[in-house]
Amino acid sequence: MTAAPEDVLHVPVRPVWTCSGCGPQVDWPCEYARAELTANLDPISRSMYAAERMVEAIADLPDETTPGDMFTRFLAWTRRAGR
């Protein structure tokens, strides 16, 4: 029996920033990580946490993406979450 996606930890695998629960083909934060962060953090804390992870990802992936892409991936969803 395999675990359902919501039953496993969805944390970043560094330095590549993929999801430990979804696998190496899925960028973190995945759908499940976003849902968990939304459920467990208020909007300001969620945004601050995501911004901190974005800064770490930028350091780990300096040549792989643009600042706009990183903003979309790590922060843009935090404003929409929980609405």
Side-chain angles (χ1 to χ4, degrees):
M1 183 169 104
T2 60
E6 62 273 6
D7 293 334
V8 297
L9 289 177
H10 292 268
V11 296
V13 176
R14 292 181 69 182
V16 294
W17 288 88
T18 58
C19 177
S20 64
C22 294
Q25 71 282 3
V26 178
D27 288 340
W28 190 90
C30 68
E31 171 186 341
Y32 298 101
R34 291 176 183 191
E36 184 174 300
L37 292 169
T38 299
N40 293 313
L41 297 174
D42 65 82
I44 293 172
S45 297
R46 182 173 53 242
S47 295
M48 290 176 60
Y49 178 82
E52 290 168 357
R53 300 299 76 77
M54 182 182 74
V55 170
E56 293 171 348
I58 289 169
D60 287 345
L61 306 168
D63 300 322
E64 295 187 28
T65 189
T66 67
D69 290 339
M70 294 300 260
F71 175 85
T72 299
R73 177 176 169 181
F74 285 90
L75 286 173
W77 69 270
T78 63
R79 296 281 308 214
R80 295 186 303 269
R83 287 189 178 183

